[in-house]
Amino acid sequence: MKITALEEYGLRCMVLLARQRDDDPLTLPEFATREGFSIPYAGKLLMILKRSGLVKAVRGRKGGYVLAQSPEEITLKEIFEVLGKPVFSAGYCGRYAREHEVCIHSGDCTVKNIWQTFDEFIESYLEQVTLADLASGDISPLEENGLKLQQKA
Amino acid sequence: MKITALEEYGLRCMVLLARQRDDDPLTLPEFATREGFSIPYAGKLLMILKRSGLVKAVRGRKGGYVLAQSPEEITLKEIFEVLGKPVFSAGYCGRYAREHEVCIHSGDCTVKNIWQTFDEFIESYLEQVTLADLASGDISPLEENGLKLQQKA
DNA sequence: AAAAAACTTTACTTTTTTGTAAACTTTTTG
DNA sequence: CAAAAAGTTTACAAAAAAGTAAAGTTTTTT
């Protein structure tokens, strides 16, 4: 299981923006310097975020990027949907079919089912954490964070 | 977020094995045919699984591979630990440091914290699903599967 | 004991992901 | 209105992951 580079760095850009004043946009060189990648790469990331509507670009001399909504209104789920694909997505059956016309999935689609359930599980977490939670810096263990995992009797 | 090819196909091999009689090993050509990849690739996968102790190789004419334990005793967490890295692992801070000596993580390590918590959350799920659950083919939605996610009051 | 069937290893090709370079367009400020 | 500062696009280079080929080793069965 892997977090892609786009997800990692894209999320960091969002955190930087969440800590910024609304009327003070962050520029591409600033993103690049503060996270250690090139300016064009920062451009690529912010372009993705902008197209999705999560951030707005301010053009001109005093321009840069600002969040489109307040950090409290943005969940990790929304950010992740923009930066990458979920564990289970529409193309799954085709992606692993290879030379076969349809997937051959160990006889039946049992593996598909586990990813689908797993994905639901993950998203139930992501949709409960906001960008404000992240920016404030105290993501706590599950139990202290409003989430609890229970074993049914 | 991405499931790697090794994780996908390695898990499928384990499911195939879980559905096999103990005294009837599966051979590399059988894995290859049934999942649609080459025999050497099957060898690569099974080698990883064997080194980790999850499966045993039986050499000679009637050889092949068998599970080292019964499917009820093997959790998804164990399988995943062998086939890939978790979302948050030891090398994290170095992996994203790039040209910097240490990670620069948006001022402080807030992003690291979220992955660490996220990883705990994921593993709490993976360790409750066994290979037997998978092989039986009915992975149900969370609530019906002994797991429940609760919002704290 | 020899051959067959299976596991094992090393090296290599292909594909995808990452990341950069460079040129271009737009908007604001003096 | 021109220059500067910033966003935007296209194309390309480097690195990692995925997958294959081929040759070698071990064990069992005849």
Side-chain angles (χ1 to χ4, degrees):
Chain A
M1 192 136 31
K2 240 191 99 179
I3 300 288
T4 66
L6 242 53
E7 288 168 338
E8 174 75 31
Y9 294 122
L11 183 58
R12 290 192 193 186
C13 289
M14 289 297 281
V15 171
L16 287 178
L17 284 171
R19 289 179 171 162
Q20 199 76 1
R21 298 247 53 80
D22 275 352
D23 48 5
D24 187 14
L26 272 174
T27 67
L28 292 182
E30 284 172 316
F31 284 111
T33 305
R34 291 171 71 173
E35 292 297 348
F37 40 67
S38 70
I39 294 172
Y41 189 62
K44 188 173 174 175
L45 284 171
L46 271 296
M47 194 52 44
I48 293 170
L49 294 171
K50 192 204 134 187
R51 285 216 187 90
S52 75
L54 284 174
V55 307
K56 286 184 295 188
V58 180
R59 306 197 72 152
R61 288 261 311 253
K62 295 206 162 176
Y65 292 90
V66 294
L67 290 179
Q69 308 163 65
S70 76
E72 289 78 12
E73 295 174 310
I74 305 176
T75 65
L76 285 196
K77 185 181 170 191
E78 295 174 75
I79 299 176
F80 266 62
E81 278 173 355
V82 160
L83 294 170
K85 287 183 180 173
V87 168
F88 177 81
S89 61
Y92 177 83
C93 292
R95 203 160 50 249
Y96 294 103
R98 301 164 55 88
E99 78 268 18
H100 305 267
E101 309 111 46
V102 232
C103 62
I104 42 182
H105 282 176
S106 316
D108 54 286
C109 271
T110 184
V111 183
K112 168 183 164 183
N113 292 340
I114 183 69
W115 293 141
Q116 207 159 9
T117 305
F118 187 44
D119 192 40
E120 287 172 24
F121 186 74
I122 287 174
E123 301 209 343
S124 72
Y125 175 72
L126 293 180
E127 72 191 5
Q128 296 195 44
V129 181
T130 70
L131 186 56
D133 293 331
L134 238 74
S136 74
D138 46 31
I139 297 294
S140 317
L142 300 175
E143 305 79 37
E144 300 164 20
N145 202 31
L147 286 170
K148 201 173 167 184
L149 194 65
Q150 281 206 330
Q151 182 79 34
K152 209 167 64 176
Chain B
M1 192 137 30
K2 242 190 98 178
I3 301 290
T4 66
L6 244 52
E7 288 168 338
E8 175 75 32
Y9 293 122
L11 183 59
R12 289 191 195 187
C13 290
M14 290 297 283
V15 171
L16 288 177
L17 284 171
R19 289 180 172 161
Q20 199 77 0
R21 299 247 51 80
D22 276 351
D23 48 5
D24 187 14
L26 273 173
T27 67
L28 292 183
E30 284 173 315
F31 283 110
T33 305
R34 292 170 69 173
E35 291 296 347
F37 40 67
S38 70
I39 294 173
Y41 189 62
K44 187 171 176 176
L45 283 171
L46 271 297
M47 194 52 43
I48 294 171
L49 294 171
K50 193 204 135 190
R51 287 217 186 91
S52 74
L54 284 173
V55 307
K56 286 185 296 189
V58 180
R59 305 195 72 150
R61 286 264 308 255
K62 295 205 164 178
Y65 292 90
V66 294
L67 289 181
Q69 311 164 65
S70 76
E72 290 79 12
E73 296 174 308
I74 305 177
T75 66
L76 285 198
K77 185 183 170 188
E78 295 175 75
I79 300 176
F80 265 63
E81 277 172 357
V82 161
L83 294 170
K85 289 184 180 172
V87 169
F88 177 80
S89 60
Y92 177 81
C93 291
R95 204 161 49 249
Y96 294 103
R98 302 164 56 90
E99 77 269 17
H100 305 268
E101 309 110 47
V102 234
C103 63
I104 43 181
H105 280 176
S106 314
D108 54 290
C109 270
T110 183
V111 184
K112 168 183 165 185
N113 292 339
I114 184 71
W115 294 140
Q116 206 160 9
T117 305
F118 188 44
D119 192 40
E120 287 171 27
F121 185 74
I122 287 174
E123 299 209 345
S124 71
Y125 175 71
L126 293 179
E127 72 190 5
Q128 295 195 46
V129 181
T130 70
L131 187 55
D133 294 331
L134 238 74
S136 74
D138 46 31
I139 297 291
S140 317
L142 300 176
E143 305 79 39
E144 300 164 21
N145 201 31
L147 285 171
K148 200 171 167 185
L149 193 66
Q150 282 206 330
Q151 183 79 34
K152 209 168 65 174

